[in-house]
Amino acid sequence: MVADETKANKELAAQSTVFNLSAWAKNRVDGKRKRKGLGELTPRENSPYRMLATYGLTVGIAKTLFAPLDRLRILSQARHMSSVAAKERVTGSSIANMNKIISEQGFWSLWRGNNSNIYRNFLMLSLQVSVYDKIKHAWMPNNAATYSGADYYMRLALGACCNMGLTAALAYPLDLINTRIASDMSKAGQPRLFKTTFDCFNRTNIDEGFRAGLYKGLELSVAAAAIRSLLALPLYDAVRNQSSSFSQFGFDKIGVSMLTSLIMSLVVYPLDTAKRCMQLNGAKGHFTLYKGSVDCLSQLARQGGAPVFYRGVHIYALKEFMVAIVQLSLYDTLFSQRAKQEE
């Protein structure tokens, strides 16, 4: 087999006075796939770079449209962390908090912290696309058809855990910056706690340190990502078995994926609340209440249990629902227009 491949490569090189690198590479890839029983490569119907750009654009637009809901959720989750006077703090009412922001900071302040959130989403998307195949191949080196049952699900789940954990860790500083800028309740005309994304990054790094500051609460984010990855496949299969019931509500396209993501988010939501509190723990304009992530979880549990852990969950559910609909609509529109232009 190796001798035949070498002979084929020499024949390709002899076809031109200039070595045909692309043909040589294609021959090596085809030979490798043949040895693994994968068959020949088929061309993609759509360019992966175009799909990545389109998906990133739709995510950015959808996230930006509903960024005010995200800020209201963060304020609700960590409202006890602010070191301002009690009468100046946000309350448990989302409507009251929105009116407070508009009256004291201005309408466009509802989008405070959105830039860092967009940067984080683009970075995570790029890392997932570039790293996932390599991690998946490390856990599943042979054809996927050779694995079955628990072994298949375990390998796929472990690969997804590694991928999600890695991307969450690398993009975590932007998540922390988003939380800190969104939690800034400085009124119009007053000095802001952080002026820009870079200003927040720089001040946090100088005041609290790189690991101790920018990665505060990282373990909670990685744990949530790992739990989501482990639940993704079995939960998706369970929801898909009931997918026929979604058609009567008009959710036949996004019902399975949306409901699966929402259920997983509800399961790990307490970790997200604890993460937000840790990200603000000791930050400028906020109290230092917790010694670490475990202490944060135990104190929140003693303060009120589930009601404290699930602050703002209704805002999150509404936002995720609206983002899913807008994102799918934009994605279909952009691709349909592209297909008409090519025709």
Side-chain angles (χ1 to χ4, degrees):
M1 182 68 68
V2 177
D4 294 340
E5 184 178 344
T6 304
K7 181 179 178 181
N9 290 335
K10 291 181 179 180
E11 291 177 354
L12 286 172
Q15 292 176 4
S16 174
T17 55
V18 180
F19 186 70
N20 192 338
L21 182 62
S22 60
W24 175 80
K26 182 179 182 303
N27 186 266
R28 284 186 60 85
V29 171
D30 290 342
K32 187 176 181 180
R33 291 180 63 85
K34 186 176 180 180
R35 290 195 300 272
K36 290 187 175 184
L38 300 178
E40 296 183 359
L41 281 172
T42 56
R44 295 177 180 266
E45 295 182 0
N46 298 302
S47 168
Y49 301 105
R50 185 196 306 166
M51 294 177 66
L52 176 62
T54 305
Y55 183 76
L57 179 62
T58 57
V59 168
I61 294 175
K63 293 284 187 181
T64 300
L65 284 175
F66 302 102
L69 294 177
D70 208 35
R71 189 185 180 196
L72 292 173
R73 174 178 67 94
I74 293 173
L75 289 172
S76 179
Q77 284 179 296
R79 60 176 180 263
H80 64 286
M81 297 295 298
S82 179
S83 60
V84 299
K87 63 179 181 179
E88 295 292 331
R89 293 182 187 176
V90 296
T91 64
S93 171
S94 302
I95 301 298
N97 293 338
M98 184 174 64
N99 292 333
K100 179 180 178 65
I101 292 173
I102 295 174
S103 62
E104 295 181 355
Q105 304 172 12
F107 176 76
W108 296 112
S109 294
L110 289 170
W111 278 264
R112 186 174 289 181
N114 181 57
N115 286 344
S116 56
N117 192 36
I118 296 300
Y119 301 153
R120 182 181 70 90
N121 280 284
F122 271 102
L123 177 58
M124 290 189 66
L125 178 62
S126 301
L127 288 172
Q128 287 174 2
V129 171
S130 60
V131 175
Y132 180 72
D133 285 341
K134 294 180 176 60
I135 295 179
K136 180 182 177 182
H137 181 72
W139 287 102
M140 200 175 292
N142 300 320
N143 186 6
T146 60
Y147 306 100
S148 61
D151 182 46
Y152 172 78
Y153 282 102
M154 184 59 67
R155 289 176 182 272
L156 204 60
L158 288 173
C161 284
C162 292
N163 179 64
M164 294 297 294
L166 177 63
T167 52
L170 293 177
Y172 187 79
L174 290 172
D175 188 23
L176 180 138
I177 291 170
N178 172 44
T179 300
R180 294 194 172 189
I181 295 179
S183 300
D184 182 5
M185 291 298 292
S186 302
K187 299 179 181 180
Q190 294 181 346
R192 293 270 302 274
L193 296 179
F194 306 104
K195 296 179 181 179
T196 62
T197 299
F198 178 76
D199 180 49
C200 184
F201 179 92
N202 193 36
R203 290 192 183 187
T204 303
N205 184 36
I206 293 173
D207 296 342
E208 304 174 45
F210 185 78
R211 170 63 183 90
L214 291 170
Y215 283 91
K216 190 176 291 182
L218 170 66
E219 53 276 4
L220 295 170
S221 179
V222 173
I227 293 173
R228 288 179 65 94
S229 300
L230 289 172
L231 290 178
L233 284 175
L235 190 57
Y236 183 84
D237 286 341
V239 175
R240 186 176 57 180
N241 293 333
Q242 305 295 327
S243 60
S244 58
S245 60
F246 292 114
S247 58
Q248 57 181 331
F249 299 105
F251 297 156
D252 50 326
K253 286 188 176 181
I254 64 172
V256 176
S257 59
M258 183 191 69
L259 186 57
T260 302
S261 177
L262 183 59
I263 293 175
M264 289 189 297
S265 299
L266 293 176
V267 171
V268 301
Y269 195 84
L271 293 177
D272 185 75
T273 299
K275 180 191 71 174
R276 302 293 179 186
C277 295
M278 282 300 301
Q279 288 174 339
L280 297 174
N281 190 47
K284 187 177 180 181
H286 296 83
F287 293 118
T288 302
L289 301 178
Y290 311 114
K291 299 177 182 179
S293 297
V294 176
D295 182 52
C296 178
L297 288 168
S298 61
Q299 287 198 40
L300 290 176
R302 289 197 298 269
Q303 288 176 9
V308 174
F309 281 121
Y310 282 92
R311 285 175 179 170
V313 68
H314 60 291
I315 307 175
Y316 178 80
L318 176 62
K319 187 206 73 171
E320 288 297 302
F321 176 74
M322 299 302 294
V323 166
I325 294 177
V326 172
Q327 185 178 337
L328 179 64
S329 301
L330 287 173
Y331 191 82
D332 286 344
T333 301
L334 290 174
F335 254 100
S336 61
Q337 289 181 352
R338 181 68 180 180
K340 290 180 180 179
Q341 289 177 1
E342 292 179 350
E343 291 177 358

